[in-house]
Amino acid sequence: MQIGISSTLPAQNLHVLQARRASFQFQKSPLNPLTRSSSSCQKPVCSSASTTELTRKHLSNLEKLLQKSTQSDPEPVIKAPSKNINGSTENKGRTLLEGLNLARVWPEMKAAEEMSPRHLNKLQRLLSKTMEYSPRNSLGSRWREYHGCNDWAGMLDPLDENLRREVVRYGEFVQAAYHGFHSNPAMSADEAPLPRHVALPDRSYRVTKSLYATSSVGLPKWVDDVAPNLGWMTQRSSWIGFVAVCDDRREIQRMGRRDIVIALRGTSTCLEWAENFRAQLVSIPESDDPTQKVECGFLSLHKTPGAHVPSLAESVVEEVKRLIEKYKGENLSITITGHSLGAALSLLVADEISSCAPQVPPVAVFSFGGPRVGNKGFVDRLNEKNVKVLRIVNNQDLITRVPGVFTGEGSSEQQEQEQEQKNESFAKVFDMIDNNNPWAYTHVGTELRVDTKMSPYLKPNADVACCHDLEAYLHLVDGFLSSNCPFRSNAKRSLARLLHDQRSNVKQLYTHKALSLNLDRDIRSIPMPSCLPSPSR
């Protein structure tokens, strides 16, 4: 049917429309597959059936476009805003409301944006049980830098991407030590322990030795009679970690060497707690310098043998010597990692093995939430042995500030600055106090400081247990960019275990979203240790 024009327009305006009619063109829609490419306007002739079919295809294309917009986007790349000729910043691809950045004016808009399909898809990925790892780049000839040969200079603020991945990876070895203990914490006092299976986070490594720590103190016999089901809490010897070695050729090539890992868990038994409180400084037995001192309880767990197991020091030295001899001629490294009490014992283990053989491979310690272990003389002892220590510290973690008093507080760099500020006439007085004060502790090594308040998922007033929790540490490291940058938006570590262990410290916005996404039941089904892990040292 042809459309009439003369019947709807006055005669005096008809010639004007006909003169301009030839210049009119269709605006082609990207959603309409039947749009003609002809530049001239054709008179459409269509039946009711063809109109219905056209509408269906139009709606189908619209649905496909909407589905594409709700798919998870790739990791965003932060680019500087481009400027036009006049010097003004262009917001390409952004709407007017986004350009105004109203979230700063109305915080409610930020919550509304996080409820969008794209943000919900990202949250669903983070809350899922599937771990998405950052890419492992080849360390090659730079492996010594990542192992601390230059004390990680220029790699911590901002945090180097490869170093971040390595730090998180070593933290997962400590998690494996926790899970290995809590899966079977009891030890018989009448016979030697059986070989223990450990589920390593990295399949390129294999466990070669189980490690045990023994307390030199014991609890009265009546404690076991009162609580016979908690015998593992009062046992003197307990499985505390393992030695593992990399056996995968591809991973050895990526790292630039064969790596030996020693992983140690934190406090989990009553007697380990008792040793933590024996905080007086005592001399190191093997040291000829009486000013080199460490905490009494840590040294006890390190040196005391059990009824059917050797001491931690003896086991580590024996296994490291064996592995050095077995892989003689290869590039080797020794990495010791631990959390809390394990971080403290890591320093004693590093001191022990750094001089156990004529040619010991480079030794580095990656510690999470570790307390202070010894005095300034002990720090000098480790520095003389070229032991490299990277301390990962949470600003809100109280455990990193004990034991000791403030005279020894701070890193080695801070102490050097303070020492320069001291008056020369009082320098000897301060040195005498540091050497003779039984509470004059000091920290060892280089510090990587994170902050619970920087996480968009954790409450800023999170409790002490959360601030010291190992999973919270790994979460903070995974999102750390630098001290003056916010939490990185493309952090990959799953929040499932953090939500499971620290639900009361996670912001309610995300716990409610987990419920709305039906992920709460999946998170609860994650295999967890049969005994509650201690958030202690």
Side-chain angles (χ1 to χ4, degrees):
M1 179 177 179
Q2 197 170 7
I3 302 175
I5 300 178
S6 58
S7 61
T8 60
L9 291 176
Q12 61 271 21
N13 296 334
L14 180 61
H15 69 282
V16 178
L17 176 62
Q18 290 175 345
R20 296 184 179 179
R21 183 178 180 182
S23 63
F24 291 168
Q25 295 180 355
F26 280 119
Q27 295 295 331
K28 295 186 290 184
S29 170
L31 303 177
N32 190 352
L34 299 181
T35 301
R36 297 189 178 184
S37 59
S38 174
S39 61
S40 62
C41 178
Q42 303 292 335
K43 297 178 181 179
V45 179
C46 56
S47 63
S48 60
S50 62
T51 303
T52 303
E53 183 65 23
L54 181 64
T55 303
R56 288 178 178 176
K57 291 185 177 181
H58 183 85
L59 293 176
S60 176
N61 288 339
L62 178 62
E63 184 179 3
K64 291 180 181 178
L65 184 63
L66 292 176
Q67 287 178 352
K68 289 182 180 180
S69 65
T70 59
Q71 291 178 356
S72 59
D73 298 335
E75 295 182 5
V77 179
I78 301 175
K79 295 183 179 180
S82 59
K83 295 185 178 180
N84 56 22
I85 300 176
N86 298 328
S88 61
T89 303
E90 296 180 356
N91 291 325
K92 296 182 178 180
R94 299 179 63 185
T95 64
L96 177 61
L97 291 179
E98 288 176 335
L100 293 176
N101 196 11
L102 297 179
R104 291 185 177 180
V105 183
W106 294 290
E108 296 83 2
M109 288 198 63
K110 184 176 181 181
E113 291 174 0
E114 291 174 346
M115 294 300 293
S116 65
R118 183 178 67 180
H119 286 82
L120 287 178
N121 286 333
K122 178 184 176 183
L123 182 66
Q124 187 169 12
R125 174 179 61 80
L126 289 175
L127 290 175
S128 66
K129 294 182 292 183
T130 304
M131 301 293 286
E132 182 181 355
Y133 295 103
S134 301
R136 293 185 182 180
N137 298 323
S138 176
L139 304 183
S141 59
R142 295 190 59 196
W143 73 266
R144 293 182 183 273
E145 297 180 41
Y146 289 103
H147 205 248
C149 68
N150 297 324
D151 295 314
W152 297 277
M155 305 178 73
L156 299 177
D157 198 3
L159 182 59
D160 183 90
E161 293 182 0
N162 294 326
L163 180 59
R164 177 194 293 113
R165 183 66 194 93
E166 293 299 296
V167 170
V168 172
R169 185 169 68 94
Y170 287 126
E172 290 168 349
F173 277 100
V174 183
Q175 283 186 327
Y178 271 114
H179 298 162
F181 171 75
H182 287 293
S183 63
N184 183 20
M187 265 187 63
S188 172
D190 300 326
E191 56 185 7
L194 297 174
R196 183 183 293 261
H197 172 74
V198 182
L200 294 181
D202 194 327
R203 295 182 179 179
S204 58
Y205 286 76
R206 65 177 178 86
V207 175
T208 64
K209 185 81 171 181
S210 288
L211 302 176
Y212 299 86
T214 302
S215 171
S216 61
V217 298
L219 293 179
K221 184 70 168 61
W222 60 264
V223 176
D224 292 332
D225 298 333
V226 172
N229 295 330
L230 295 180
W232 65 272
M233 287 288 291
T234 60
Q235 63 193 14
R236 290 187 57 191
S237 297
S238 297
W239 189 89
I240 198 168
F242 58 87
V243 180
V245 63
C246 182
D247 263 355
D248 185 82
R249 287 293 174 185
R250 182 176 297 180
E251 183 68 4
I252 292 173
Q253 184 178 5
R254 183 193 73 84
M255 294 190 298
R257 86 282 189 190
R258 186 188 296 272
D259 189 32
I260 301 171
V261 171
I262 302 170
L264 303 172
R265 61 165 176 82
T267 307
S268 295
T269 70
C270 290
L271 293 184
E272 290 169 358
W273 262 111
E275 294 285 14
N276 289 338
F277 287 106
R278 299 174 63 191
Q280 66 272 23
L281 286 168
V282 295
S283 298
I284 302 174
E286 296 82 6
S287 176
D288 297 330
D289 188 350
T291 64
Q292 298 176 354
K293 299 180 180 181
V294 294
E295 199 222 43
C296 176
F298 298 153
L299 186 64
S300 171
L301 291 171
H302 180 60
K303 289 288 190 181
T304 305
H308 301 282
V309 293
S311 66
L312 175 61
E314 184 180 348
S315 297
V316 168
V317 169
E318 178 184 356
E319 183 63 14
V320 167
K321 283 183 176 180
R322 187 186 72 84
L323 293 176
I324 292 176
E325 183 63 26
K326 180 178 180 179
Y327 301 109
K328 189 175 182 180
E330 297 186 26
N331 282 336
L332 296 176
S333 67
I334 300 176
T335 307
I336 311 168
T337 181
H339 171 246
S340 198
L341 170 64
L345 294 177
S346 295
L347 296 179
L348 298 179
V349 169
D351 174 61
E352 193 80 33
I353 66 177
S354 59
S355 57
C356 69
Q359 293 181 344
V360 178
V363 178
V365 176
F366 291 81
S367 71
F368 298 86
R372 293 179 291 185
V373 178
N375 63 354
K376 190 174 182 299
F378 177 65
V379 176
D380 295 336
R381 176 183 173 91
L382 291 181
N383 291 335
E384 291 174 1
K385 294 185 175 185
N386 202 30
V387 174
K388 302 300 181 180
V389 180
L390 179 60
R391 299 176 54 251
I392 297 89
V393 178
N394 184 357
N395 267 338
Q396 282 71 44
D397 188 0
L398 299 179
I399 301 300
T400 61
R401 305 175 190 176
V402 296
V405 293
F406 296 106
T407 58
E409 181 67 33
S411 62
S412 57
E413 292 83 1
Q414 294 172 339
Q415 292 174 19
E416 290 176 1
Q417 294 175 0
E418 293 173 0
Q419 185 67 27
E420 292 176 358
Q421 296 174 357
K422 291 178 182 178
N423 190 295
E424 293 182 0
S425 60
F426 292 97
K428 294 183 179 180
V429 177
F430 279 104
D431 290 339
M432 182 181 66
I433 293 175
D434 288 342
N435 292 332
N436 297 297
N437 187 350
W439 301 98
Y441 283 82
T442 195
H443 276 306
V444 184
T446 307
E447 185 177 88
L448 171 61
R449 187 167 287 272
V450 295
D451 196 324
T452 302
K453 296 180 180 179
M454 294 184 68
S455 170
Y457 307 101
L458 293 174
K459 295 178 181 178
N461 59 342
D463 58 31
V464 176
C466 177
C467 293
H468 188 61
D469 182 68
L470 178 57
E471 181 59 39
Y473 262 93
L474 300 185
H475 165 70
L476 294 175
V477 172
D478 184 56
F480 182 80
L481 287 173
S482 68
S483 57
N484 56 356
C485 288
F487 204 83
R488 70 179 183 128
S489 59
N490 58 344
K492 294 182 177 296
R493 189 166 185 82
S494 172
L495 299 175
R497 187 171 295 277
L498 184 67
L499 187 60
H500 181 277
D501 295 340
Q502 301 295 336
R503 178 178 294 270
S504 61
N505 293 295
V506 176
K507 293 180 179 178
Q508 291 184 358
L509 174 66
Y510 299 101
T511 57
H512 292 166
K513 284 182 181 179
L515 293 174
S516 64
L517 293 171
N518 296 323
L519 293 173
D520 188 64
R521 182 171 55 184
D522 294 337
I523 293 173
R524 292 179 180 273
S525 66
I526 299 176
M528 297 293 172
S530 57
C531 303
L532 293 178
S534 170
S536 59
R537 281 192 281 144

